[in-house]
Amino acid sequence: MSKLIVFAIVGFFAQLIDGALGMAYGVTSTTLLLAFSVNPAAASASVHLAELVTTAASGASHIKFGNVDKKMVFRLIIPGAIGAFLGATFLSNLPGDVIKPYVSLFLLLLGVYILFRFLFIYKKTEEQKNVQLSYKQSIPLGFIGGFFDATGGGGWGPITTPVLLSKKGMSARKAVGTVDTSEFVIALSASLGFFLSLGSELIEWVWVIALMIGGVLAAPLAAWLVRVVPTQIMGTLVGGFIVLTNARTIFSTWISDDSIYPVLYGLIIVTWIAAVGYAIYKYNLDRKASEADLPLDVEA
C-alpha cells in the first residue's frame, strides 16, 4: 500500500513538473519504475498507459487556459505517432536485462540535457501570433521525439519543447501547452505498439492506476502554474533528480567497486545543489534586469 502511495505522489509531482515545463513526466515515472526493477519495456508501456489519462487531462487544462497552438499540434502528432509506434515495437523486442542500463543511460543524458538547457540555453521570448513550424521541421521533429519517447519512457517533451522554445516569437506557455496536448496521441500510439508486441501480461496495472490518479490531480494545477512558476528553477530541479535516480542503475552495472558509490553520489548531489543555486541567482538577475528596463511612470 505504501508503494502505491509513493507512485501516486510521484505521478502527481511528475505531472506538475511536466505541465509546467512540457517535459519530464515520462522520464521521471520511468526512472521510478526502473528503480523498482521493472522490465524497461514494461516500464515504458506502463508509463504510456498512464499518460493516456494524464495527457488528456493536461491537454484539456492547457486548452482551457489558452496555452495551445492547435495548428502546431496537428503538424506534430502524425509523425510523432509513427515514431512512437516504431519505438515501442523496437524496445519490446530487446531483452530487458540487457537494455535496462542503456535505457537508464539515455534517461540520465536527458537529465543532463535538461539541466544544461535550463541553466545556459533557456531564454524568455516574447509571444507573437502565427509562429509555426514548417512541414520540413515538424516531420523529423515529431518522428524523432515519438521514437525516443517510446524507447526511453520519456523524450517527447525534452526533444520537442526546446525546439519550439527556440522558435523566435514562441512563448514558453504556448510551447509547453502545445507539447503537452499533442502528447496524448504519442502515448496512444506507443501504448498500441507495446500491446501488440508485449500483450497485457507485463503491465503493472495497479501502478499505472496510481500514476494516473496522481497525474490527473496535478494537471489543472500545472496548467495554471506554467504562468507563474520560474521555469529555469523547476527545470534544474527535475534535471538533477533524473540524473541522480538513474545513476544507481549505471553505477551497479558498470562500476564493480561499490565503495566509491558514496563519493559519486556526493558529487552528483553537490553539483545539483550548485546548479539550483545558480538557477535561482540567474533568475533573480534576469528579473532585476527586466524591472530596470521598465519605463518610469510619468505623472500627469
Side-chain angles (χ1 to χ4, degrees):
M1 184 65 183
S2 60
K3 188 182 292 186
L4 295 180
I5 294 174
V6 170
F7 273 66
I9 292 172
V10 168
F12 178 89
F13 282 104
Q15 182 56 50
L16 191 66
I17 294 165
D18 189 276
L21 292 179
M23 63 181 75
Y25 180 87
V27 180
T28 305
S29 301
T30 303
T31 293
L32 175 70
L33 291 174
L34 290 178
F36 281 93
S37 300
V38 177
N39 175 283
S44 187
S46 299
V47 168
H48 282 91
L49 282 170
E51 283 185 321
L52 287 177
V53 174
T54 61
T55 54
S58 180
S61 299
H62 278 298
I63 290 172
K64 179 181 178 181
F65 284 100
N67 298 336
V68 179
D69 186 323
K70 295 179 181 179
K71 289 184 179 179
M72 202 172 296
V73 167
F74 287 114
R75 289 196 176 190
L76 287 172
I77 58 176
I78 295 177
I82 295 171
F85 182 84
L86 294 177
T89 305
F90 172 75
L91 181 63
S92 299
N93 289 290
L94 294 175
D97 292 338
V98 174
I99 196 63
K100 182 178 179 179
Y102 296 99
V103 173
S104 290
L105 180 61
F106 171 64
L107 294 173
L108 184 143
L109 292 174
L110 282 179
V112 171
Y113 174 75
I114 291 170
L115 272 173
F116 184 82
R117 168 74 190 172
F118 287 99
L119 280 176
F120 304 112
I121 302 176
Y122 175 78
K123 293 181 181 180
K124 291 184 178 180
T125 57
E126 295 181 358
E127 183 174 359
Q128 297 175 358
K129 296 181 179 180
N130 301 321
V131 180
Q132 292 291 332
L133 288 175
S134 67
Y135 286 110
K136 289 183 179 179
Q137 294 171 319
S138 61
I139 290 174
L141 174 62
F143 181 85
I144 293 170
F147 184 87
F148 281 101
D149 188 84
T151 54
W156 179 253
I159 291 172
T160 56
T161 301
V163 173
L164 294 187
L165 285 173
S166 70
K167 292 287 290 181
K168 186 177 181 180
M170 172 63 68
S171 70
R173 70 182 185 89
K174 284 283 187 178
V176 170
T178 298
V179 168
D180 272 9
T181 303
S182 61
E183 194 169 8
F184 170 77
V185 176
I186 310 308
L188 178 62
S189 182
S191 297
L192 179 60
F194 282 121
F195 262 112
L196 293 177
S197 300
L198 293 176
S200 59
E201 294 80 10
L202 293 179
I203 306 298
E204 299 287 351
W205 290 104
V206 178
W207 294 3
V208 169
I209 293 171
L211 289 170
M212 283 181 179
I213 293 172
V216 168
L217 291 175
L221 179 60
W224 174 74
L225 285 176
V226 72
R227 298 187 175 194
V228 297
V229 173
T231 304
Q232 284 176 292
I233 297 173
M234 189 176 291
T236 307
L237 286 169
V238 71
F241 171 75
I242 293 166
V243 170
L244 180 64
T245 49
N246 282 285
R248 174 177 172 270
T249 300
I250 294 170
F251 292 165
S252 62
T253 302
W254 287 307
I255 300 178
S256 57
D257 185 4
D258 57 6
S259 64
I260 66 172
Y261 288 2
V263 176
L264 296 174
Y265 283 125
L267 288 173
I268 293 174
I269 292 172
V270 170
T271 303
W272 186 16
I273 293 173
V276 173
Y278 179 71
I280 294 172
Y281 169 75
K282 189 175 180 182
Y283 168 74
N284 287 328
L285 279 182
D286 291 343
R287 182 171 56 84
K288 290 177 181 178
S290 297
E291 291 174 352
D293 289 338
L294 290 175
L296 296 175
D297 292 334
V298 179
E299 295 183 1

